[in-house]
Amino acid sequence: MQKLLGWVLASAAAAVTWLTVGCANNHAASSANSLTVSSTDQISTPFILKRVDLSDPAQVTEQDAPVSLAAARNEWSSFALHVSWPAGTGYSLRLGTLRPEGGRTALPIGFKVYQVVSAPVDLNRASYVRHSGQNAATRSLPRALLPLDVSGDQIVSLDRLRDSAHQPATLWMDLHTDATLPAGAYSASIDLLRAGSAQPAASLPLKLTVHNFNLPNERHALMIGAIDWVWLQNLFPSEFEAITPTWVTRTDPKYEPTIRILDQMISTAQEHRLSLYVPALRPLTKWPANAPPLIDWQSFDSMVAPWLSGEKFADHVGLHYWPMPSAEMLDRYDRTSQAEYWSAAATHFEQNQWLAISAIPIARKGSSDADISAISTEAAELLRAIPQARIIVPLEDDQLQLGDGQNPALIDPQGASRLLAIAQPLVSAPPRPWPAGAPRPQHAVWTGFPGLFPYMGSGGSERDVRMWAYLAFLRHLSERGSSAAGPDEAQVLWNVTLPQTSAADQPADPNEVPWFYPGSWFGVSGAVPTLQLKWLRQAEQDYEYVRIAQERGEAITALQTARLLARPVEIQPNQTPDPIYSLLSGTADSAAWEQARQLLSEAIILHTPGESLDASRQEA
């Protein structure tokens, strides 16, 4: 413990030195690269085409180097560009074709291009300052991504940018490596073109290394978010304000604007390897006197079936998570009526082959002992009444109240494997001993659950978001090795998917992770993706890397990498928790993330099917 305190004090002293000496320089660099610059007076040359690092939006930095990417097949890679050009129209970007190293055959690149737009963020929050070391102020930071059209000849017109007269602009590039692309090194060029000239005014080389393995289409880390209907009404009033969600159906044309927004957000999330669900979509339920509830599933099924089957998605991979919907005002009915409803819902989901991707949710109304006891009692009743369904309980294992011969009304330990509980958070105490011979619950990582102390950097930077994938791997790896017969996918639950402000000029919480903004804030229709959505996609792909490494026999490499990047803290029994422990998790060094990814790639390639293992390379 003394060594730990010494390390913390030394780190704090270093942080103070950095804040007083280096932070001013970083802030100046960030200001120079700000997205709000509106003239070319600050630009030393009329044409600029440079890579820019947006992994920490509060510290935007340019990079005087070619774009260098490494990816598996069927993986999405991303980078951002800082672009400036003289006043006038007719300027454009030309996205080059890939050429193998030493080859002549050009291959097209699957680019998607977005304009990065800033939004105000309130950094004046003690938790954020402690976590990041940033200046406390309200600043305009890169947040939203406005899609841009890419022509058939790989040209992006800069005239189509929002406020194209403002200089400079920042563009976000997505690059997808095809599942059939041969492994090897490739090169390309991104060119800034003058009006009426085929010769580039500025060029930026792009180098791509394609690894000799594929990421699967299936998602093994379910990054799950809920879309809150109240916030849909606040942010998209014309499509949602006067709409009752239980009546929304694909068979009625009047709901087309509402469905278009939902389809757009859920399809975009799925394309980014993420899962969204809408709790407010529920069946029409009637409660006749002295009889079981009458449930009409027609509208609900018309909405969710295309998402769960994959019919609505380009890769036809359906969503792997959708909790059973609660009937409207279900909590006002007695427990017997509630159990009758949930039993009917479970039967309907089973008939549609959705039961394996679903569970009955129990709401958490508070954190008092009485609230926790009520949740355990409700879970026990549902386990007994509905033996075919899983139950989502917003409790950690230590909070679950288990029954025995003297307390048969509480949770039967033998049925605990059907519970989906909260996984150990980042800062945790050792779990309590579990009854011998009884299976443990399944678990999901809840990013909004504080545990002993909240992790306040959940959305401040790309590394904060990606860290959760490695924690999910550690928790799921432990679960798969225990007696719990858990699902093949790890689950990470995100609380917020829409901005928690009602207007574009209201400063946001830097720790929120919004997946979408309303396009109306930026002069476009529909919903627009965010920078955080790209980070979440990268997090899911990170999980696939450690999972593939483990499956190919590199379990120690996968485990150590996940531990070093997530760095969960487990205190000793009866040890007094200290809030400073919440600052010890995660890895701030951006180079460490790239090195870890490279190490995992090399470990995976060592075990390429059909090739013999090179023991010397493995040892190195």
Side-chain angles (χ1 to χ4, degrees):
M1 186 63 187
Q2 289 179 346
K3 290 183 178 180
L4 173 63
L5 289 176
W7 179 87
V8 169
L9 291 173
S11 300
V16 170
T17 303
W18 181 86
L19 282 170
T20 55
V21 177
C23 190
N25 294 332
N26 286 333
H27 181 66
S30 177
S31 298
N33 297 319
S34 169
L35 304 184
T36 58
V37 176
S38 59
S39 72
T40 58
D41 297 340
Q42 302 179 24
I43 301 173
S44 58
T45 175
F47 290 99
I48 292 179
L49 186 59
K50 290 184 178 182
R51 187 174 184 179
V52 62
D53 182 6
L54 298 182
S55 62
D56 185 349
Q59 297 188 88
V60 178
T61 56
E62 283 187 349
Q63 299 174 332
D64 291 318
V67 176
S68 181
L69 304 174
R73 292 186 289 257
N74 198 34
E75 180 178 356
W76 286 94
S77 302
S78 302
F79 59 94
L81 296 179
H82 189 176
V83 187
S84 183
W85 63 98
T89 60
Y91 295 94
S92 59
L93 277 186
R94 180 173 60 201
L95 312 176
T97 53
L98 288 176
R99 293 188 180 276
E101 197 171 75
R104 296 183 178 180
T105 304
L107 302 171
I109 307 177
F111 272 117
K112 290 193 174 184
V113 185
Y114 306 81
Q115 181 183 3
V116 182
V117 179
S118 294
V121 179
D122 179 12
L123 304 182
N124 189 20
R125 297 169 185 262
S127 59
Y128 176 79
V129 173
R130 283 197 304 270
H131 177 80
S132 65
Q134 294 297 313
N135 287 342
T138 295
R139 294 167 53 190
S140 186
L141 301 183
R143 301 284 276 189
L145 303 175
L146 307 186
L148 298 175
D149 292 331
V150 180
S151 68
D153 51 357
Q154 297 285 82
I155 299 293
V156 178
S157 172
L158 299 180
D159 295 341
R160 303 299 297 273
L161 298 182
R162 178 176 179 266
D163 298 331
S164 59
H166 290 183
Q167 301 286 331
T170 301
L171 303 182
W172 180 273
M173 305 280 188
D174 276 346
L175 165 62
H176 185 254
T177 50
D178 191 80
T180 61
L181 192 64
Y186 296 83
S187 61
S189 177
I190 300 174
D191 302 322
L192 177 56
L193 302 178
R194 296 183 180 90
S197 174
Q199 294 299 317
S203 294
L204 184 65
L206 185 152
K207 299 182 182 298
L208 173 66
T209 300
V210 179
H211 299 311
N212 191 23
F213 63 94
N214 289 45
L215 292 193
N217 281 331
E218 294 75 18
R219 287 68 159 149
H220 294 93
L222 303 184
M223 300 286 175
I224 300 166
I227 308 178
D228 187 279
W229 197 269
V230 173
W231 279 103
L232 285 172
Q233 292 175 323
N234 290 338
L235 300 172
F236 301 90
S238 61
E239 293 90 352
F240 289 90
E241 197 168 47
I243 301 297
T244 302
T246 51
W247 292 95
V248 176
T249 175
R250 295 185 186 273
T251 60
D252 191 333
K254 76 176 182 180
Y255 294 114
E256 286 182 1
T258 303
I259 296 172
R260 184 171 60 251
I261 297 295
L262 293 175
D263 275 342
Q264 181 191 11
M265 288 195 290
I266 291 177
S267 296
T268 302
Q270 191 273 352
E271 182 183 319
H272 285 74
R273 306 181 66 92
L274 313 173
S275 293
L276 278 175
Y277 70 96
V278 189
L281 294 179
R282 60 187 82 203
L284 290 167
T285 306
K286 296 181 179 179
W287 301 85
N290 303 317
L294 298 177
I295 307 175
D296 182 354
W297 292 95
Q298 187 172 356
S299 296
F300 176 84
D301 288 355
S302 78
M303 290 299 301
V304 306
W307 299 327
L308 300 184
S309 68
E311 173 191 330
K312 279 288 180 182
F313 309 136
D315 59 6
H316 302 292
V317 176
L319 301 182
H320 283 198
Y321 181 84
W322 196 286
M324 290 184 210
S326 171
E328 193 170 8
M329 296 186 293
L330 183 62
D331 58 343
R332 299 186 182 182
Y333 291 86
D334 60 80
R335 286 288 179 82
T336 300
S337 299
Q338 292 178 19
E340 288 176 340
Y341 170 81
W342 286 122
S343 180
T347 299
H348 181 78
F349 269 59
E350 190 172 28
Q351 291 170 347
N352 285 276
Q353 299 182 341
W354 300 336
L355 196 61
I357 63 170
S358 187
I360 298 172
I362 296 178
R364 181 164 182 163
K365 300 179 176 62
S367 56
S368 68
D369 292 342
D371 293 322
I372 292 172
S373 179
I375 291 172
S376 290
T377 301
E378 185 176 354
E381 293 174 355
L382 291 173
L383 286 173
R384 288 191 294 268
I386 311 167
Q388 74 270 39
R390 293 188 300 165
I391 315 297
I392 303 172
V393 285
L395 300 175
E396 292 184 86
D397 286 6
D398 289 357
Q399 297 174 311
L400 294 171
Q401 297 181 0
L402 304 180
D404 52 27
Q406 296 180 344
N407 298 286
L410 297 178
I411 296 171
D412 180 2
Q414 296 301 324
S417 63
R418 290 195 288 120
L419 296 178
L420 184 61
I422 299 175
Q424 281 181 278
L426 273 166
V427 181
S428 63
R432 71 178 180 188
W434 200 255
R440 279 192 175 270
Q442 302 168 30
H443 297 93
V445 173
W446 297 39
T447 61
F449 182 73
L452 294 175
F453 298 103
Y455 180 70
M456 298 309 301
S458 59
S461 72
E462 179 179 356
R463 292 182 292 276
D464 289 331
V465 169
R466 292 171 63 182
M467 181 275 301
W468 292 99
Y470 291 100
L471 179 67
F473 177 78
L474 292 174
R475 299 306 187 227
H476 193 61
L477 184 66
S478 173
E479 179 169 302
R480 296 291 287 179
S482 72
S483 58
D488 190 38
E489 305 94 355
Q491 298 186 5
V492 184
L493 306 182
W494 296 85
N495 283 1
V496 176
T497 58
L498 295 174
Q500 303 296 285
T501 53
S502 300
D505 58 354
Q506 294 179 1
D509 184 338
N511 292 312
E512 290 176 358
V513 186
W515 298 22
F516 297 97
Y517 279 111
S520 59
W521 287 7
F522 310 102
V524 299
S525 61
V528 297
T530 63
L531 204 58
Q532 286 83 353
L533 192 74
K534 306 298 181 180
W535 298 346
L536 285 162
R537 179 181 62 192
Q538 189 60 61
E540 199 287 328
Q541 294 180 153
D542 286 342
Y543 187 94
E544 300 295 348
Y545 268 71
V546 287
R547 174 185 165 276
I548 294 173
Q550 179 210 2
E551 286 192 339
R552 292 199 178 183
E554 293 290 335
I556 294 177
T557 299
L559 178 63
Q560 291 179 339
T561 301
R563 281 178 175 169
L564 289 169
L565 292 179
R567 293 198 296 185
V569 177
E570 184 175 289
I571 66 174
Q572 296 304 307
N574 302 319
Q575 180 180 349
T576 302
D578 191 313
I580 202 168
Y581 296 158
S582 64
L583 300 178
L584 302 181
S585 298
T587 302
D589 183 5
S590 58
W593 290 82
E594 299 303 322
Q595 293 165 2
R597 195 56 118 69
Q598 181 63 29
L599 178 63
L600 288 169
S601 302
E602 294 174 359
I604 292 169
I605 295 169
L606 282 174
H607 300 268
T608 299
E611 297 183 7
S612 58
L613 177 64
D614 187 332
S616 61
R617 286 181 60 197
Q618 185 183 37
E619 178 65 22

